[in-house]
Amino acid sequence: MSGPTELPPAIDVSNLRKVYGSGHTEIVAIRDATLQINRGEVVGLFGPSGSGKSTLLTAMALINPPTSGHIVIGGQPVMDGPRAMVDARSFRRQNIGFVFQKPNLIPFLTALENVQVALEINDTPAKKARERALELLEYLSVHPRADNLPVALSGGEQQRVAVARALANNPSLILADEPTASLDGALGRQVMELFTKVAHERHAGVLVVTHDARTLDVFDRILDVEDGRIQIRANHKTQ
Amino acid sequence: MNLAIRDIRHNAGRFVFTTVGIGMLLMLVMGMGGIYRGLIFEATLLVDRVGADLWVVQGSTRGPFAEISRLPANLEDRVRAVPGVAQARRFVSHTIQREHLGRPLRMVVQGLAWPDDRGEWVPLLAGRPLRQAHYEMIADQSLRLPLGEKIKLGKDVYEVVGLTRGLVGTSGDGLTFFTASDALAIQFDVPGEAMRLERAARRARVEAMDLGRLQPLLLDRAAGLSSGIPALAAPQVSAILVTLQPGANEAAVRDILRTWPDITVYSTQEQKDLLLAGMVDKARRQLGLFRGLLIMISTIIIALIIYTLTLDKIRDIALLKLIGARNTVIGGLILQQALFMGVFGFGLAWWMGLYLFPHFPRLVLIANADLISLGLIVIVISTLASFLGIWKALTIEPNTVLAV
C-alpha cells in the first residue's frame, strides 16, 4: 500500500478569491487564499465569525464557486476560477466527506442506513454497501447502535455515525464545519481524536473549521483566517 | 435502499391519515362513476328484462318512460292482427307515492297483461309470480315490503307474493308488478265523494240537453257506473309491447305500424336511447363535472401534502445533494411517495367502496373498465402532484445544510 507521502495532496488551493456583490456593495470574503492539505494531515481552520471560514469551506466543497483562483483535489484540477472542471456533485460523492456542526443524520434512516446511503448513491451494491457501513461503524465503535434511529443515539454517537458516513467512499478529503460545537468537552475531544485517527490510518486530508481552542493539540497544523486572509499559526502545540 | 419507503415508515401516522383522506376522495370519484353506471343499468333494466321487440306508444310521444304515453287498451288487438306479430300485451307504468306504516312509500307500478304475462320473466328472490287476476303484487326488496305483507292501494288491498332484487325505475324507486287492470285501478282510483260528484255532474249535463229530456233512462245511466256508459272510453294504458314471431321481419312490421297516425313505434334499442339521452344524459354530465372537480381537488391535495412532506425533509434533501446524490435519487424519493399515496389511496377507495356502496340508496355499479381508467388517472395525478415537491427539492442549495 502506498504511504500518504507518495500520494498527491488531499487539496491544493491557490490564490483563491471570493467576492460578493459589485461596485459599492462589493465584499471580498476571501483574499488570495493559498493552502495545501496533505493526506494523513489534520488541519484546523480558526477565525472569528465573518472572517471567511465558511466561504472558504464551501468553495473547497465545490458548492460555492470562487471568483478566481484554482482548486486541485487529489491531484485533479476541479475549479479554475468560477468554472467547474468536473461534475461537482459526482466529484463530491466520490472524493469529499463532510462532517457538520450538527450530525445531520437523516432521521428516518438507522445509523447503519445513514452510512449505507452514502455508499449506495455512489453506486455501491446494497449488500456490499451494508457490509462496508457496518465495518465503518465498528471502526468508530458505534456498531452496537447500528439499527437505532438517530433520535435514539447520544450526541457523540450521532457525530461518530456522521464521521462514518463521511468516510464511506474513502474520500481523499474530509471537510468538517465546527464538528464539536454541539458536543461537551469530552465528547468534542473524542470526535477530534477520531479525525486524527481517520487521517492517519485512512490517509485522508482533514480540514476542520472550528472555534474550539480546547483541542488545538490534535491538529497537525493550524490556519487562522481573518478578513478573508489565511495565515499559518506557528508552534500551536506549545500554546 | 428505498428512501421513500423508509421515510413513509418513519412518518407512518401522517402518511396513513393522508392516504385515508385521499382514499375517501377517490372513493367519491369512484362512487360518482358507479352511480352513473348504476343510473344507466337501472334505467335500461326494465326495457331489457321485459322482453319486447317493439314498443308501441302514443303518437308523437317518447313514452312510456321519457314522457307520458296514453293508448287505448284495445290497441293490442289491432297490433296482434299485424302480420309477423306473435304477441301484443298492454303495459302500464306510473309512479305513485303513498304512506305505509307511517313512512312514505314511492313505487313504480307496472301493469302486466294478465293472463299472458304473469311476471314469470321477473327474477324472483322469494315467492312466486302472479297467480290471480287481482290483488296480488310482486315488489322489489328496496321497498322493504316483506313477503305476505298486505298493502292498501286505492280501494283495494294487495298481497306481496313475490320479491325481486335490484329492479328499480329510472328515478331509483322500486318496481312493483300488478296485473294491468289492477295497475289501472290504482292509477285511476278516485275517492267515493269525487265519484258521486262526477256522477251528479254527468246527470246535470244530460238533464240540460234535449236528449236527456226525451230519454229519461239516460239520466239513470249517466248517474251510474262509468263502465256502463259506452260513450266513455275505457282507462288507457301506457304502451303496447310487441313480440315478433321467430324470423319475422321487424322492418316490415314497423312499416305497417308506422302508417297508423295515432301511435309511434320504437325498438328496444331506441327505447333505451330515449331513456339515456333524455333522462340520464344530464345526470351523466353533472356527475362527470363532479368527478373532474374531485380529481382536481385530489391532485391539489396530494401536491400540497407531498410539498409539505418535502419541506419537512428539505435539510435531508440538501444533505443528500451535498454528499452527491443524483437528482434522480431525490426526484425518485418524492415521486415514489406521491405514487404510494395515490396507489394506496386508490386501493383504500376500492376497499371502502366494497363495503359502503351496497348501502347507498341507489345502485352504485363499479365496472372494471372504470376501475382501470381511474387507476391510470390516479397514477397521472400523483405524478403531476409530485412535480411541485420535486421542483422545490431540486432548487434547494446543498449548502443549506451548513446553516445551523
Side-chain angles (χ1 to χ4, degrees), chain B residues 171-213:
Chain B
S171 57
D173 302 315
L175 294 186
T176 50
F177 298 89
F178 301 80
T179 61
S181 56
D182 281 353
L184 289 169
I186 293 166
Q187 185 178 11
F188 296 107
D189 171 54
V190 179
E193 181 60 18
M195 185 62 73
R196 277 192 292 280
L197 290 170
E198 169 59 22
R199 287 175 185 174
R202 280 205 304 249
R203 185 184 171 95
R205 283 201 298 274
V206 176
E207 272 178 340
M209 297 174 73
D210 56 346
L211 189 62
R213 289 192 291 273

Side-chain angles (χ1 to χ4, degrees), chain B residues 129-145:
Chain B
L130 304 179
R131 275 191 204 147
Q132 295 179 183
H134 296 290
Y135 315 128
E136 287 189 348
M137 64 185 282
I138 298 168
D140 188 74
Q141 68 167 12
S142 63
L143 295 167
R144 291 189 283 162
L145 296 171

Side-chain angles (χ1 to χ4, degrees), chain A residues 47-116:
Chain A
S49 294
S51 60
K53 299 190 303 293
S54 293
T55 304
L56 182 61
L57 188 84
T58 53
M60 291 162 76
L62 313 185
I63 52 178
N64 185 12
T67 309
S68 62
H70 303 276
I71 301 174
V72 177
I73 296 177
Q76 180 166 3
V78 290
M79 295 299 291
D80 180 14
R83 189 169 65 90
M85 301 176 77
V86 291
D87 174 48
R89 207 184 292 188
S90 165
F91 191 86
R92 279 201 303 271
R93 188 164 63 228
Q94 292 162 1
N95 298 283
I96 305 176
F98 294 93
V99 181
F100 313 98
Q101 179 175 338
K102 286 183 175 176
N104 280 322
L105 299 180
I106 297 175
F108 53 84
L109 300 181
T110 62
L112 182 70
E113 288 166 344
N114 262 286
V115 183
Q116 195 179 335

Side-chain angles (χ1 to χ4, degrees), chain A residues 58 63 89 92-93 98 100-101 104-109 113 116-118 120-121 123 149 165 177, chain B residues 1 3 6-7 9-10 313 315-316 319-327 330 398-399 401-402 404:
Chain A
T58 53
I63 52 178
R89 207 184 292 188
R92 279 201 303 271
R93 188 164 63 228
F98 294 93
F100 313 98
Q101 179 175 338
N104 280 322
L105 299 180
I106 297 175
F108 53 84
L109 300 181
E113 288 166 344
Q116 195 179 335
V117 73
E120 286 194 17
I121 62 175
D123 300 327
L149 289 172
R165 181 179 62 196
D177 186 18
Chain B
M1 183 191 316
L3 294 174
R6 279 164 174 77
D7 185 29
R9 200 173 56 190
H10 188 66
K313 52 178 174 286
R315 275 182 72 89
D316 305 325
L319 172 83
L320 285 169
K321 289 175 91 168
L322 184 68
I323 65 174
R326 294 176 182 89
N327 284 342
I330 294 160
N399 54 9
V401 78
L402 298 175
V404 177

